[in-house]
Amino acid sequence: MTHNALVISGGTARGAYAAGLVHGLFTRFPSLHQHLQLFSGTSTGSLIAPALALYCLDPARHRALLDQLVTRYQVPSTEAFLDEPDKLLYRALKWVLTPFLGKDAARAVAKVAETGAVVDASPLKRTVDTEYTDARLAELFAARQRVQVYVNCVSAQTGGLVAFSSADPAMTPARFRTAIFASCMQPLVMPLVPMDSPAGVQELMDGGIRDVVPVESTFYGGATRVLALALFPDGEGLPKPGPFSGRKHLKELAQRVVFDLLDGEVQDDDVLEARLLASLGQLVRHARAHGADDAAVTALLSALRPEERARFLAPDVLHGLYVHRPARGVPLVETLRWDRDGMQASIDAGRAAALSDEGQRMHDFLAAP
């Protein structure tokens, strides 16, 4: 049995491109919702994936959610993130450090020292709470046999990936909303998000630190084909021309490392891993078609961990992968300071991709028998 998965990577404001793309795909191909069962998102992708799953459950009733994916990214920066308010310690540290570090760097250090974060994400939290209501998430949880959504975070205590599934019988709306919010929290510049766990309270952060293109959760969830939207073009992680020198460029360099180099490098690794998983799945399918039994498949995959081998021994394994990346030159907003015009250009670029031959190929991949 085929289980198709749609995976949406992290990428902060680049989510505008993904929102435009999926909005264009589902508008252009009204029956596409019938061909998707699994959804996985990290960071900005975690904001999109649950809404798409609900839309696929009932397109007529949840059309507004599909449209909200676009309007969510048509807002100014202040409707997503805010600077922390000026407080006494912040003002004092900034005043002392400015002569040594420069205004921008002193401001950042002062905020981290006082609050543990440079950015106040409470507007984003209100958006998550408003759009993913108890009623909507209860509907999603009740449909676990039809669709499943994975939201990916990283534990600050263990450094490991934590995937929250809508199919978990113990999942609650409040816990799932917390996971969505935590998946968006970039470390160093945003706060950690506490959540109770059997081992005690753990603090969660952006899943993109470990899995920015979260194919792994759908692999273990039973996906046989995966359409992955990776929001960094090929080579995006390479430094841009021009030297970074002195304190003038400190903020720009820090932002480049946190949001571009790190995420871009993790994405390349994730895409390579996904390709290897799909290739191994094809290999196992061919081996079984030529009479290989479980013992032979186990021997073939002897270098894998036991849990990885167990997944490949299942009746249906991941064997199909389609990775879409934005074309070079596509307008993508680079920072947390969302620019309304820039976001709209990204949305339009995503829609254009959905209306192109590339969009037709993505549809055909998911709709194939």
Side-chain angles (χ1 to χ4, degrees):
M1 180 178 179
T2 299
H3 287 90
N4 288 336
L6 177 62
V7 170
I8 304 175
S9 83
T12 59
R14 296 167 187 249
Y17 177 86
L21 177 59
V22 296
H23 188 275
L25 281 176
F26 283 97
T27 301
R28 181 183 180 186
F29 304 107
S31 64
L32 188 60
H33 69 280
Q34 301 173 6
H35 303 291
L36 282 163
Q37 297 79 36
L38 302 173
F39 302 82
S40 181
T42 288
S43 192
T44 195
S46 73
L47 297 173
I48 297 173
L52 282 181
L54 284 164
Y55 174 79
C56 287
L57 285 177
D58 193 335
R61 192 158 60 86
H62 290 303
R63 174 70 198 197
L65 273 177
L66 185 65
D67 294 335
Q68 283 174 9
L69 292 180
V70 175
T71 58
R72 179 186 293 151
Y73 291 96
Q74 292 172 317
V75 300
S77 174
T78 53
E79 292 187 31
F81 306 107
L82 295 170
D83 288 334
E84 289 283 358
D86 288 1
K87 298 178 184 176
L88 180 60
L89 178 58
Y90 163 68
R91 290 197 298 269
L93 282 172
K94 187 176 72 169
W95 182 79
V96 171
L97 294 174
T98 294
F100 302 97
L101 301 179
K103 182 178 178 181
D104 286 344
R107 173 179 172 273
V109 172
K111 285 183 179 295
V112 171
E114 181 187 10
T115 67
V118 178
V119 174
D120 173 8
S122 58
L124 179 63
K125 181 66 165 64
R126 286 193 293 271
T127 297
V128 172
D129 292 344
T130 298
E131 294 188 11
Y132 292 120
T133 62
D134 285 2
R136 282 175 173 170
L137 291 180
E139 179 182 354
L140 180 63
F141 299 162
R144 58 176 56 94
Q145 299 301 319
R146 165 68 178 87
V147 296
Q148 295 182 43
V149 179
Y150 298 91
V151 171
N152 299 276
C153 303
V154 165
S155 168
Q157 278 71 30
T158 67
L161 187 69
V162 185
F164 295 88
S165 170
S166 65
D168 181 354
M171 187 58 64
T172 66
R175 189 175 179 84
F176 206 67
R177 280 192 295 269
T178 299
I180 294 171
F181 179 62
S183 183
C184 298
M185 294 297 100
Q186 282 271 5
L188 302 181
V189 297
M190 295 179 186
L192 299 175
V193 179
M195 181 185 286
D196 290 333
S197 72
V201 176
Q202 62 179 334
E203 293 173 303
L204 302 173
M205 57 183 162
D206 188 351
I209 300 301
R210 292 291 302 271
D211 203 15
V212 74
V213 188
V215 172
E216 181 180 343
S217 54
T218 62
F219 167 73
Y220 286 110
T224 54
R225 283 192 303 225
V226 173
L227 169 61
L229 307 183
L231 299 180
F232 293 80
D234 284 318
E236 187 66 20
L238 298 176
K240 295 180 178 179
F244 290 107
S245 59
R247 66 191 185 193
K248 177 181 178 182
H249 296 110
L250 182 60
K251 182 179 179 182
E252 182 183 353
L253 177 60
Q255 179 175 285
R256 182 75 175 152
V257 169
V258 173
F259 295 115
D260 292 340
L261 292 175
L262 178 59
D263 281 351
E265 174 66 18
V266 175
Q267 176 195 257
D268 290 344
D269 290 344
D270 291 344
V271 169
L272 177 59
E273 179 187 32
R275 287 173 176 156
L276 291 176
L277 290 174
S279 296
L280 284 174
Q282 284 280 21
L283 180 63
V284 168
R285 282 164 57 89
H286 285 302
R288 288 195 181 281
H290 288 83
D293 57 13
D294 284 356
V297 172
T298 299
L300 181 69
L301 305 173
S302 60
L304 300 182
R305 298 192 303 265
E307 61 271 22
E308 294 168 336
R309 289 200 300 271
R311 177 69 190 95
F312 283 112
L313 289 171
D316 295 303
V317 299
L318 174 64
H319 61 272
L321 177 70
Y322 192 114
V323 178
H324 171 79
R325 287 177 163 181
R328 298 288 287 178
V330 163
L332 297 170
V333 179
E334 298 292 340
T335 71
L336 288 173
R337 302 296 176 213
W338 294 13
D339 169 70
R340 190 191 294 269
D341 292 338
M343 303 297 278
Q344 187 61 56
S346 293
I347 290 169
D348 292 343
R351 282 176 169 152
L355 296 174
S356 69
D357 291 342
E358 174 79 349
Q360 183 68 57
R361 288 190 288 270
M362 286 187 274
H363 166 269
D364 295 345
F365 172 77
L366 293 173

